[in-house]
Amino acid sequence: MKHRLNNKAGNAIIHFFNKHSTLLKSPLPKNIEKGRAFMNNMNFPNLTFKKTLITVYNGKEYFLYYQDLINCIKNILNIPNIMEDFALSFENYEVKIFFF
């Protein structure tokens, strides 16, 4: 929704992630429609948005809807088994550039 992708493009991204991921269980929904339904049905006490008037143009008000960062972190930490999806190891790749 953030980048206004259509359902077909979003489903292709999910498919690509699932195909190339090394996770045993995908944290993503099966498709965009199921993900959108899941987001619409979520009921977290910290999942509240604030509304700030940005500007008025040609008699129309434009608002910014946002969440506090701390509330976002609280929501993430409330997800059961969240540690299963964390990448706790990595490989450090070094690229050496030679100039002639």
Side-chain angles (χ1 to χ4, degrees), residues 22-23 77 81-92:
T22 59
L23 299 174
L77 294 176
N81 304 321
I82 189 69
M83 292 297 290
E84 292 176 5
D85 298 323
F86 283 172
L88 301 176
S89 63
F90 69 95
E91 293 181 30
N92 189 11

Side-chain angles (χ1 to χ4, degrees), residues 50-57 60-66:
K50 295 186 179 185
K51 179 179 174 181
T52 301
L53 177 65
I54 299 299
T55 189
V56 177
Y57 179 73
K60 185 174 181 181
E61 297 178 330
Y62 291 88
F63 295 92
L64 172 68
Y65 294 87
Y66 66 95

Side-chain angles (χ1 to χ4, degrees), residues 11 18 26:
N11 289 337
N18 289 337
S26 175

Side-chain angles (χ1 to χ4, degrees), residues 7-100:
N7 290 349
K8 189 174 182 179
N11 289 337
I13 292 169
I14 290 172
H15 177 75
F16 178 84
F17 176 83
N18 289 337
K19 182 178 179 180
H20 298 287
S21 172
T22 59
L23 299 174
L24 298 176
K25 179 184 170 199
S26 175
L28 300 177
K30 296 291 182 193
N31 58 48
I32 290 296
E33 294 82 9
K34 288 184 180 182
R36 190 173 292 123
F38 174 77
M39 293 295 291
N40 288 339
N41 292 326
M42 286 175 43
N43 186 16
F44 294 116
N46 295 325
L47 192 61
T48 56
F49 286 87
K50 295 186 179 185
K51 179 179 174 181
T52 301
L53 177 65
I54 299 299
T55 189
V56 177
Y57 179 73
N58 287 340
K60 185 174 181 181
E61 297 178 330
Y62 291 88
F63 295 92
L64 172 68
Y65 294 87
Y66 66 95
Q67 286 184 311
D68 289 330
L69 181 59
I70 296 298
N71 287 341
C72 292
I73 293 170
K74 287 178 183 177
N75 288 328
I76 291 170
L77 294 176
N78 281 330
I79 298 172
N81 304 321
I82 189 69
M83 292 297 290
E84 292 176 5
D85 298 323
F86 283 172
L88 301 176
S89 63
F90 69 95
E91 293 181 30
N92 189 11
Y93 293 99
E94 291 184 23
V95 177
K96 296 183 180 182
I97 301 174
F98 297 99
F99 293 100
F100 297 99

